[in-house]
């Protein structure tokens, strides 16, 4: 599938600017080329995205010249994870309504991607996976900056209990904590005291990633901590 550099730059820039996942639509023009991508107001974590349906409706209401039938490419990011279609992604695709085709793309911050094409015709469902994306045109640095600003304005984190998204705390080894507690980030397991030592006397940004987990991110490290562990700090 052919994608203009303009559209692909936006998709990857959105993904890299977001702390967790981010989701949007892309336009397939009459020549069969994906030539633009957009995002809407949404709530996102490291595992979930909830797009504001009203924002989508407003976009098409404000842009009467846009043909909704061309905006059939649904894309989302997996942050730092691999680019693949999860069980949830598969379920969402199969629940597509009022369409005879759907193009789905998953990307990550490294620029990796997975592409899937779904077609429905006369009761049959045809699937094409692992297709290749051919990016055409040139990259635009100003566009990357504009996408980052748009993510900051539209993609918000989930609130969790008394937790405030974007809260900055100071982690110190002098703080009381249970050394028997453990945490995970990626495939690594570390004790909570390892996290505190690594971020000792540094300001750490705390934000939610869905479920009962939050992330503590300082200059040299980023850690996944359960809500209960966070409350101990």
């Amino acid at each position: 599938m052919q994608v203009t550099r303009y559209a692909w730059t936006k998709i990857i820039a959105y993904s890299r600017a977001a702390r967790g996942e981010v989701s949007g639509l892309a336009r397939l023009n009459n020549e069969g080329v994906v030539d633009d991508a957009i995002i809407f107001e949404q709530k996102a974590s490291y595992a979930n995205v909830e797009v504001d349906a009203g924002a989508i409706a407003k976009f098409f209401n404000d842009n009467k010249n846009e043909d909704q039938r061309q905006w059939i490419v649904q894309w989302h990011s997996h942050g730092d994870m691999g680019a693949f279609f999860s069980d949830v992604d598969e379920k969402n695709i199969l629940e597509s309504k009022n369409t005879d085709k759907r193009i789905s793309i998953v990307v990550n911050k490294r620029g990796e991607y997975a592409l899937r094409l779904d077609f429905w015709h006369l009761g049959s469902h045809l699937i094409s996976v692992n297709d290749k994306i051919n990016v055409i045109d040139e990259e635009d640095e100003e566009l990357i900056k504009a996408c980052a600003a748009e993510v900051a304005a539209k993609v918000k984190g989930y609130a969790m209990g008394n937790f405030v998204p974007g809260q900055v705390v100071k982690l110190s080894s002098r703080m009381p904590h249970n050394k028997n507690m453990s945490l995970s980030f990626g495939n690594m397991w570390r004790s909570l005291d390892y996290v505190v030592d690594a971020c000792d006397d540094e300001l750490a940004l705390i934000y939610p990633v869905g479920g009962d987990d939050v992330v503590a991110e300082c200059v040299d490290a980023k850690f996944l901590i359960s809500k209960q562990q966070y409350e101990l700090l």
Side-chain angles (χ1 to χ4, degrees), residues 123-175:
S124 297
H125 180 200
L126 305 177
I127 307 173
S128 177
V129 296
N130 297 324
D131 286 58
K132 301 298 182 183
I133 290 178
N134 178 29
V135 180
I136 55 180
D137 299 339
E138 298 297 323
E139 191 170 281
D140 187 338
E141 290 296 329
E142 292 303 315
L143 180 61
I144 295 175
K145 295 178 182 178
C147 289
E150 194 175 354
V151 166
K154 294 181 178 179
V155 182
K156 308 301 181 183
Y158 287 102
M160 186 174 67
N162 60 357
F163 168 77
V164 179
Q167 180 177 8
V168 174
V169 299
K170 192 169 185 178
L171 299 180
S172 170
S173 57
R174 293 183 294 275
M175 291 181 177

Side-chain angles (χ1 to χ4, degrees), residues 1-68:
M1 183 177 72
Q2 287 194 319
V3 180
T4 65
R5 175 65 66 180
Y6 175 80
W8 190 247
T9 295
K10 291 181 72 174
I11 290 174
I12 299 302
Y14 287 142
S15 175
R16 289 174 176 168
R19 284 198 174 276
E21 292 193 357
V22 61
S23 178
L25 295 177
R27 182 177 61 198
L28 186 71
N29 64 26
N30 293 330
E31 286 71 45
V33 177
V34 177
D35 63 2
D36 198 4
I38 54 176
I39 60 172
F40 307 93
E41 283 74 15
Q42 57 193 273
K43 290 184 178 180
S45 71
Y46 272 67
N48 300 287
V49 176
E50 182 181 349
V51 178
D52 185 343
I56 298 177
K58 184 177 185 301
F59 170 79
F60 289 110
N61 185 61
D62 294 344
N63 298 274
K64 303 292 188 182
N65 59 319
E66 293 291 348
D67 185 348
Q68 294 188 43

